[in-house]
């Protein structure tokens, strides 16, 4: 019996903006947060805004949270 899974083998992004926010997150100097979404996860823009805000606060760059 072969049952197909609805889980995709990759991470999905809600939009191109979401992907850009994720790329920004990965390139924050001194970023101590690690976000490694599981395959099948759908990252939303709202999630990425929250993750970016947290990452910038942890690096002491509170001024960057104004834009996210």
């Amino acid at each position: 019996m072969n049952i197909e899974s609805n889980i995709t083998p990759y991470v999905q992004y809600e939009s191109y903006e979401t992907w850009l926010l994720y790329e920004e997150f990965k390139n924050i100097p001194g970023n101590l947060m690690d976000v490694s979404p599981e395959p099948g996860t759908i990252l939303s823009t709202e999630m990425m805004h929250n993750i970016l805000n947290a990452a910038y606060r942890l690096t002491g760059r509170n001024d960057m949270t104004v834009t996210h």
Side-chain angles (χ1 to χ4, degrees), residues 3 9-10 13 15 17 21 25-26 28 31 33-34 36-37 40-41 44 46 51-52 57-58 61-63:
I3 299 175
Y10 49 85
Y13 301 92
S15 66
E17 177 187 2
L21 293 170
F25 167 78
K26 292 190 326 182
I28 297 172
N31 184 7
M33 286 183 65
D34 181 27
S36 301
T41 300
S44 71
E46 182 179 359
I51 291 168
L52 271 173
R57 282 192 178 102
L58 287 172
R61 298 177 64 188
N62 292 330
D63 59 315

Side-chain angles (χ1 to χ4, degrees), residues 1-58:
M1 183 172 182
N2 187 4
I3 299 175
E4 299 232 2
S5 172
N6 289 332
I7 297 176
T8 61
Y10 49 85
V11 175
Q12 296 178 340
Y13 301 92
E14 181 179 59
S15 66
Y16 179 66
E17 177 187 2
T18 308
W19 179 79
L20 289 174
L21 293 170
Y22 182 71
E23 289 298 305
E24 178 181 347
F25 167 78
K26 292 190 326 182
N27 291 295
I28 297 172
N31 184 7
L32 301 175
M33 286 183 65
D34 181 27
V35 174
S36 301
E38 294 290 321
T41 300
I42 299 173
L43 284 177
S44 71
T45 301
E46 182 179 359
M47 278 181 190
M48 284 311 308
H49 282 288
N50 292 331
I51 291 168
L52 271 173
N53 281 330
Y56 279 123
R57 282 192 178 102
L58 287 172

